[in-house]
Structures are given as structure tokens and as C-alpha cells.
Amino acid sequence: AEPSFGTFALRMTLCHMVTYWLFGMAAFLLADYGSLFRSEGYALLMRPVSSKWVAAGPALQFVRGLIFAAALYPFRSVILGTPRGCPKLRALLLGVAILWTARPAPGPVEGFLYTTIHPLRQLIGLPEVVLQTLALSLALVGWHRRPHRAWGIVMGALTVLLVLFSVAGVLKPRPGAFR
């Protein structure tokens, strides 16, 4: 049975927030985003990792999760109800949300065309988002196809944890907090 919008939106939002946080933290640690964001080109686009806005980012991803849910809900039968729904969702996210965005950000085609950031430096963040969309697709489709109570418990607990970490990061005293 196809899920209601509320169920679909909740699952999409929790899956997005959790995968965004997990892969974002891994990339932050492995790719040294602190140095990258201070480098030429990125420093004009990205807030420093010490910014409270960056700390608030993972918790604020619920908005993006809801936007994804609203945009993808009309296509839920293709995503959730067909044998190849997961690769279809992943291809859609890769194409529209990562590789060909509507603005010049580092990584997508528009970034290579319109920014002055060296092409190799633009590739640094791509593994994070490519893997995150894979995990998001697998989690969303997996949760629908095997709707066990454990999904809600684990995703809910991880979401609460990431929100608490974000709140702690926002509340941490620092000079120039909301830069």
C-alpha cells in the first residue's frame, strides 16, 4: 500500500536528516572541510565551520527533507512500488539535486562552468553527496518495503541526537557567532 503524505514526509525527512548528518560528519573529518572552507573561492561561498549557522545546519535539514517529500510524493508509486525504485530515486537525486543544480555551486556542472574554483577542488565534496544520496535512497525504500518498528526507533533516536548536537553547537559560546 502506498503511504500517506504524512508517513512519506516523515520517513523522507528522517532518512534525509540522518544520512545528511552521518555523511556530512564523515566528510568533515576526512576531507578537512575547515581548511577547504577557508581556501580561495570557497571562503567567499561558505561560512566558516565555527559559525553557528553551520552548527544549526543538520537540524535545519528537516526543511529540505520536507521539500524532497513534497516534490517526490507524486512519484511515490515509481520510487516505492517498482522493483527498481531505489536506483530510480538515486538517479533523480543525483541528476537534479547534485550534478545539475540551478545555481553555480562547487561540484555540479554549473560550478565548473561559472565559478573560479579549481575543478579538482570542486570534486572534494562529491563523494559525500553521492554516497549520501545512495544511503538516503536505500533507507527510504528499505523502510517502506520492510516497515518494521525498529526503523522508526533508530531513525527517530538518531534524529533526536543530531538535533541535540546542533543545539549544543549553536549554544556554544564563540566570537562572531552568526557569521
Side-chain angles (χ1 to χ4, degrees):
E2 289 190 2
S4 67
F5 178 74
T7 298
F8 184 79
L10 178 68
R11 289 176 180 175
M12 171 58 83
T13 301
L14 294 182
C15 289
H16 169 66
M17 289 177 72
V18 168
T19 59
Y20 178 92
W21 178 53
L22 292 174
F23 285 90
M25 287 304 298
F28 174 80
L29 296 171
L30 296 172
D32 190 17
Y33 278 8
S35 297
L36 179 68
F37 289 4
R38 288 189 305 272
S39 69
E40 186 177 334
Y42 279 89
L44 297 173
L45 296 171
M46 305 299 291
R47 296 180 189 277
V49 295
S50 60
S51 168
K52 288 190 178 199
W53 288 110
V54 173
L60 295 174
Q61 287 300 310
F62 79 91
V63 175
R64 191 168 188 212
L66 291 173
I67 291 169
F68 278 157
L72 294 172
Y73 188 70
F75 307 101
R76 69 195 174 281
S77 60
V78 173
I79 296 166
L80 303 175
T82 62
R84 307 236 349 118
C86 186
K88 290 174 185 175
L89 174 58
R90 182 151 189 257
L92 181 64
L93 292 172
L94 279 172
V96 177
I98 296 172
L99 297 177
W100 202 282
T101 61
R103 60 180 45 114
V109 173
E110 296 282 316
F112 287 98
L113 294 174
Y114 298 113
T115 71
T116 58
I117 299 171
H118 190 279
L120 291 178
R121 293 188 68 84
Q122 291 194 45
L123 296 176
I124 291 171
L126 278 179
E128 171 195 356
V129 294
V130 168
L131 292 172
Q132 187 261 336
T133 57
L134 172 61
L136 169 61
S137 300
L138 289 170
L140 181 69
V141 174
W143 193 348
H144 175 74
R145 295 199 178 148
R146 291 182 178 78
H148 195 274
R149 197 174 136 196
W151 277 104
I153 293 170
V154 170
M155 291 303 216
L158 288 173
T159 301
V160 167
L161 190 61
L162 81 87
V163 168
L164 291 174
F165 283 147
S166 285
V167 169
V170 169
L171 296 177
K172 178 184 172 194
R174 69 191 79 151
F178 276 97
R179 303 189 267 164

